[in-house]
Amino acid sequence: MSLNPSSDVLDVVIVGGGLVGGLTALLLAQGGVQATVLDAAPILDSDKTLSVANPRVLALSQATIHLLKTVGVWDKLARQQPYTGMQVWNKNGYGEINFGHSSERTPSVEQALGSMVEPSILNLAIQQKMLEDVQDYRTQVKVSRVERGVDVWIIHLADGTQLKTKLVIGADGANSFVREQAFIDIDVLDYKQAGISCAIRTAQPHQHVARQIFLETGPLAYLPMASLKEEEQGHWQSIVWTLPDDYADEYVALSDVDFTQLLTRESYHMLGEVLEATPRAKFPLKARAAQQYVQDGLALIGDAAHVIHPLAGQGVNIGCLDAAVLCDVLLHDKARGVWAHEQTLKRYEHRRKGQNDAMMHSMSAIGWMETTELFPVVWARNFGLKQVEQQTVLKDAFMAQANGLSLLKDTRYSA
């Protein structure tokens, strides 16, 4: 269905075909609006993707899972690892917080707090669904320029093609080219830290619990992941270890034997001995916040609009909430016979920017509180952990915030 009388002007162009951009395209298609999707990545080889375990996982909330089910992506996932519990504590503290429970048997996703999914597996499922439902899905596309025209945006591709659109959606990641071309400034908070990620095999099973211990150097997270080998099921974790830059450089350079011994020691034998580790990747940690999410005929979503500390694993989930809210207000426009009105885009920005900024600053504050040795802060931290652990109401409030379903309640995608 075309909303524009001129056939050479597209309704919407989405730059970026990853999880958030793909979800946006599929939600719009479900609502009767076909987007043109420009994806820099190639089509994934299914057999190759499935045969290799990705060392990273994304912690998907129940809200994200609900949205993926809504567009038919969830059933296409080749593997995923539901988790039923979370355990958080500080090495130098006296309190801890436990959410949910451990489980020896793999639960259904409906019984779980959320699910861990490898990015490659998720991207494969998104691509497969877009090939089915999105009529103009272009891969291995390079955008060379984005400029404002008269009532349209003009997108120049490296092959010389020009596209005109009433609405351009930037879903092209933390280093967004769309954001840059629109001259939207960002605020950057450099943590002077780096994250190390890899997959590890532990002596003891994870029992479907995500664990995070706060060390003097920063948080270390063990995240349950699915194994390619049935006999090793339950013993593989994806780790995210936040460290000062110099520590990260040193740890990445260690031999596998030295690294697994270090990890066993620093994790306080959280799941016994670390028996095996895949090659490590290091990434800088910086929070970024676009000073505005929208312009006339343009919207930023996902990492193009915000990047938060990976402390709570919420980055991908708030990006999916962006997609849901933006699609909801756009389809409301469509029902009224208008499209991408300025006030509509402002409404999306108003509903998402404040929440995302609050999440970014709270993650920064928690990270500082958990690593500082200032006595008043340490006392308050320990007291707070004990209070949350003992108060069911507080724990339920934390869980409601984490699962994200309440943030969908005012949209057409309410669970």
Side-chain angles (χ1 to χ4, degrees):
M1 176 179 181
S2 177
L3 298 167
N4 300 308
S6 175
S7 60
D8 65 342
V9 177
L10 299 167
D11 298 329
V12 53
V13 172
I14 301 173
V15 181
L19 169 58
V20 177
L23 176 61
T24 303
L26 292 169
L27 289 171
L28 288 175
Q30 192 175 72
V33 176
Q34 281 290 333
T36 292
V37 179
L38 306 178
D39 192 354
I43 294 294
L44 293 171
D45 181 284
S46 179
D47 291 338
K48 184 177 180 180
T49 301
L50 297 180
S51 66
V52 178
N54 194 304
R56 287 183 56 235
V57 293
L58 300 173
L60 303 187
S61 68
Q62 282 293 348
T64 296
I65 292 169
H66 172 71
L67 291 170
L68 293 174
K69 287 181 176 180
T70 298
V71 296
V73 167
W74 187 255
D75 290 339
K76 291 184 175 293
L77 291 177
R79 59 179 177 263
Q80 46 92 15
Q81 181 65 74
Y83 63 97
T84 56
M86 291 190 295
Q87 182 182 20
V88 180
W89 73 102
N90 192 290
K91 175 237 175 186
N92 291 326
Y94 302 100
E96 66 178 53
I97 305 178
N98 293 278
F99 298 101
H101 56 85
S102 62
S103 174
E104 294 185 3
R105 295 185 178 182
T106 301
S108 68
V109 73
E110 290 77 19
Q111 299 170 319
L113 299 179
S115 189
M116 305 292 179
V117 183
E118 299 158 56
S120 55
I121 299 298
L122 189 52
N123 288 337
L124 177 63
I126 287 278
Q127 283 190 345
Q128 290 172 339
K129 191 60 179 174
M130 281 202 288
L131 288 169
E132 294 175 4
D133 291 2
V134 178
Q135 297 170 9
D136 192 8
Y137 170 37
R138 311 184 193 189
T139 59
Q140 294 181 281
V141 174
K142 179 175 175 56
V143 177
S144 59
R145 194 161 88 242
V146 180
E147 61 180 343
R148 186 66 176 148
V150 179
D151 297 327
V152 296
W153 284 88
I154 304 169
I155 300 173
H156 300 260
L157 307 184
D159 65 3
T161 303
Q162 291 185 18
L163 304 175
K164 295 180 180 178
T165 181
K166 288 286 187 181
L167 173 63
V168 59
I169 297 176
D172 51 341
N175 298 313
S176 171
F177 185 67
V178 171
R179 185 186 65 219
E180 176 187 307
Q181 292 283 288
F183 299 102
I184 295 176
D185 291 331
I186 58 171
D187 296 319
V188 179
L189 175 58
D190 189 344
Y191 294 109
K192 307 298 183 184
Q193 294 175 322
I196 292 179
S197 67
C198 67
I200 62 171
R201 183 167 63 90
T202 55
Q204 298 171 17
H206 53 62
Q207 295 188 310
H208 305 95
V209 175
R211 297 169 171 86
Q212 185 160 252
I213 179 173
F214 285 89
L215 306 170
E216 294 97 332
T217 50
L220 167 62
Y222 275 24
L223 308 174
M225 66 184 298
S227 172
L228 295 179
K229 298 179 181 179
E230 185 60 35
E231 65 272 17
E232 295 178 350
Q233 204 65 255
H235 289 265
W236 278 93
Q237 338 273 326
S238 174
I239 72 161
V240 179
W241 195 353
T242 299
L243 294 158
D245 289 329
D246 53 348
Y247 279 71
D249 291 337
E250 177 186 344
Y251 291 176
V252 163
L254 292 174
S255 68
D256 288 348
V257 171
D258 288 342
F259 181 74
T260 55
Q261 290 177 349
L262 171 71
L263 190 55
T264 299
R265 185 171 65 250
E266 289 296 300
S267 69
Y268 289 81
H269 293 74
M270 188 159 28
L271 287 174
E273 186 179 355
V274 178
L275 304 173
E276 186 179 350
T278 62
R280 281 144 269 158
K282 180 173 75 81
F283 50 95
L285 294 181
K286 296 180 181 180
R288 308 182 191 205
Q291 292 184 358
Q292 58 191 100
Y293 284 11
V294 301
Q295 289 183 1
D296 186 18
L298 180 144
L300 302 177
I301 58 176
D303 284 356
H306 46 76
V307 176
I308 69 171
H309 196 288
L311 183 64
Q314 287 297 308
V316 65
N317 295 311
I318 63 176
C320 290
L321 289 170
D322 292 346
V325 172
L326 179 59
C327 290
D328 183 61
V329 296
L330 288 173
L331 293 175
H332 184 263
D333 259 14
K334 172 180 171 285
R336 297 187 300 122
V338 296
W339 182 245
H341 190 276
E342 180 182 4
Q343 291 305 312
T344 299
L345 298 180
K346 286 289 187 183
R347 192 158 64 251
Y348 154 71
E349 180 180 60
H350 176 73
R351 289 175 60 179
R352 294 301 302 145
K353 192 173 189 306
Q355 289 179 347
N356 294 341
D357 287 349
M359 175 71 77
M360 181 184 75
H361 292 304
S362 64
M363 290 302 101
S364 299
I366 290 172
W368 175 76
M369 285 186 68
E370 291 292 349
T371 54
T372 185
E373 295 304 313
L374 293 173
F375 175 76
V377 178
V378 171
W379 180 87
R381 180 186 70 207
N382 293 338
F383 178 77
L385 285 172
K386 290 178 181 177
Q387 289 301 304
V388 172
E389 176 64 17
Q390 294 170 6
Q391 299 293 325
T392 302
V393 173
L394 290 177
K395 291 178 74 171
D396 289 346
F398 272 99
M399 289 308 303
Q401 181 67 27
N403 72 32
L405 291 172
S406 63
L407 299 177
L408 291 175
K409 67 179 181 179
D410 294 327
T411 74
R412 69 193 63 222
Y413 309 112
S414 178

